[in-house]
Amino acid sequence: DDLIENNTGRIKILEDMAQMLYREWFVNFRFPGHEPGRAVNSELGSIPDGWSVQPLENLTTTVTKGTTPTTLGRQFQDTGVSFVKVESISESGAIIMGKLAKIDAETHNLLKRSQLCKDDILFSIAGAIGRVALVPDRVLPANTNQALALIRCREPLFIAYLLSTVRSAHFQNFSLGRVVQTAQANVSLSILKSAPILVPPPFLLHLFRKFTEPPL
């Protein structure tokens, strides 16, 4: 329990530091080498000249979600492949090992669309909307259900940046402002794919990844 608490606290500190740097560089535009006054208009407002705004789906290979195994007549197990639910993700973005459900390998193979890979970004689109986690090696093999969107970056260079972007106030407000009220409030995948993402130049993405990667 102490180890889990220490690890959760460490993740929270690292995430707070990443978000502070994100706001400084990509919201306030006080990034290394910035030149005040050189800006252009975009759907996100005034942005530095040479930057762009693209929908999330342009920066990813996959934006999808899973299925609850019971809808396929499959049951959860006591051991087996990890199955991530919204409650498996803490508010600080840690995946809580003790709150992972389990499915058997056959069910995991049936749910091919939502099989998770290292560095996939998970974003809760139902229930506690807006929880975010990065998939680590230690939970794999793993799968997920329809309450979590699976976001897989097109290039590794974008992982750290998109992780902070989906945690940002702008992205959270965009998602929460487009919640569909059905039996359970949710954000559709089409809305998520269309979310406007500010795209800085590659050298800043490299720097951001370097400064926000956890130490080995």
Side-chain angles (χ1 to χ4, degrees):
D1 288 344
D2 288 342
L3 183 60
I4 292 172
E5 184 177 350
N6 289 339
N7 191 49
T8 300
R10 179 173 177 270
I11 290 172
K12 179 66 166 61
I13 291 170
L14 291 172
E15 173 51 28
D16 286 347
M17 292 172 62
Q19 288 303 119
M20 287 175 61
L21 189 64
Y22 178 89
R23 288 192 296 271
E24 184 71 2
W25 287 11
F26 307 118
V27 177
N28 299 325
F29 300 129
R30 292 192 288 261
F31 52 88
H34 74 282
E35 297 181 33
R38 296 189 60 184
V40 295
N41 291 324
S42 76
E43 64 181 292
L44 294 178
S46 181
I47 64 174
D49 188 21
W51 296 29
S52 65
V53 176
Q54 298 186 40
L56 178 65
E57 65 179 339
N58 283 10
L59 307 176
T60 61
T61 58
T62 302
V63 179
T64 190
K65 62 182 180 179
T67 304
T68 299
T70 52
T71 63
L72 303 178
R74 315 292 298 192
Q75 301 302 315
F76 289 105
Q77 308 293 319
D78 294 329
T79 60
V81 175
S82 299
F83 194 84
V84 187
K85 301 180 179 181
V86 174
E87 55 265 34
S88 309
I89 300 175
S90 72
E91 291 184 8
S92 66
I95 293 182
I96 307 168
M97 301 300 287
K99 291 189 177 181
L100 293 171
K102 299 291 182 180
I103 56 175
D104 58 36
E106 185 178 356
T107 303
H108 179 59
N109 289 331
L110 286 173
L111 302 175
K112 289 186 182 297
R113 183 181 69 177
S114 50
Q115 291 177 357
L116 302 181
C117 296
K118 183 179 183 295
D119 291 335
D120 282 345
I121 297 169
L122 299 177
F123 181 81
S124 59
I125 55 175
I129 295 173
R131 291 198 181 183
V132 181
L134 189 69
V135 176
D137 261 332
R138 62 190 172 89
V139 305
L140 299 177
N143 215 299
T144 189
N145 65 10
Q146 72 276 12
L148 288 170
L150 185 171
I151 301 169
R152 187 167 295 154
C153 294
R154 187 173 298 279
E155 299 179 29
L157 183 60
F158 277 92
I159 294 170
Y161 176 71
L162 280 183
L163 179 65
S164 287
T165 297
V166 298
R167 283 176 166 151
S168 68
H170 168 76
F171 193 92
Q172 294 278 330
N173 291 338
F174 176 89
S175 302
L176 291 171
R178 290 160 177 79
V179 167
V180 177
Q181 296 292 342
T182 57
Q184 183 182 40
N186 68 90
V187 179
S188 71
L189 289 181
S190 60
I191 288 294
L192 208 60
K193 291 177 182 180
S194 71
I197 305 296
L198 181 66
V199 182
F203 86 92
L204 275 182
L205 294 174
H206 279 290
L207 278 178
F208 187 74
R209 180 172 65 175
K210 176 182 177 181
F211 290 150
T212 58
E213 278 185 340
L216 294 176

